[in-house]
Amino acid sequence: MASQRTHATRQYAKMTLQMYFLYLLECKDGTIYTGITTDVKRRFLEHKNGVGSHYTRARKAKRILYTEKHKNRSLASKREAEVKRMPRKEKLKLKKK
């Protein structure tokens, strides 16, 4: 029982220390997809191989435009919601910073 608790505690610590990334992808049709992940390279490959979102499966991910690092999923999700509300021009400005 104690070893199970220790394992669970380690797993929880691992989850809470995990960094999250906000990312913007350019699709082949010129649209911008916004998402969050713990591994940008892996997620981009998933999008490119058609196992990402329905959006990128239909529009074909072309390249990563921008990434931001966040301490946890909550902060990354809040930023994702903020960026998704931005007009396209503002999203493209992020890329240049």
Side-chain angles (χ1 to χ4, degrees), residues 14-96:
K14 202 185 238 185
M15 288 179 358
T16 57
L17 294 175
Q18 183 114 38
M19 297 299 289
Y20 275 81
F21 297 86
L22 164 81
Y23 64 96
L24 274 64
L25 300 180
E26 180 181 9
C27 296
K28 288 188 179 181
D29 68 354
T31 58
I32 297 172
Y33 176 82
T34 305
I36 64 169
T37 186
T38 56
D39 184 338
V40 177
K41 288 179 186 178
R42 174 192 49 81
R43 190 67 175 132
F44 177 64
L45 289 174
E46 289 174 351
H47 284 297
K48 275 190 85 77
N49 293 325
V51 292
S53 71
H54 292 284
Y55 188 92
T56 57
R57 194 173 313 140
R59 290 169 177 81
K60 310 293 185 226
K62 183 175 166 183
R63 66 186 173 119
I64 300 168
L65 289 177
Y66 177 75
T67 63
E68 275 181 12
K69 196 174 193 179
H70 293 274
K71 288 183 180 180
N72 57 49
R73 184 182 180 126
S74 177
L75 293 173
S77 293
K78 287 174 185 174
R79 179 64 171 149
E80 177 188 23
E82 183 182 336
V83 170
K84 283 183 173 185
R85 288 190 301 269
M86 290 179 178
R88 178 184 172 81
K89 261 187 173 176
E90 282 186 52
K91 291 177 187 177
L92 292 172
K93 284 181 189 176
L94 289 174
K95 182 178 101 163
K96 294 177 182 175

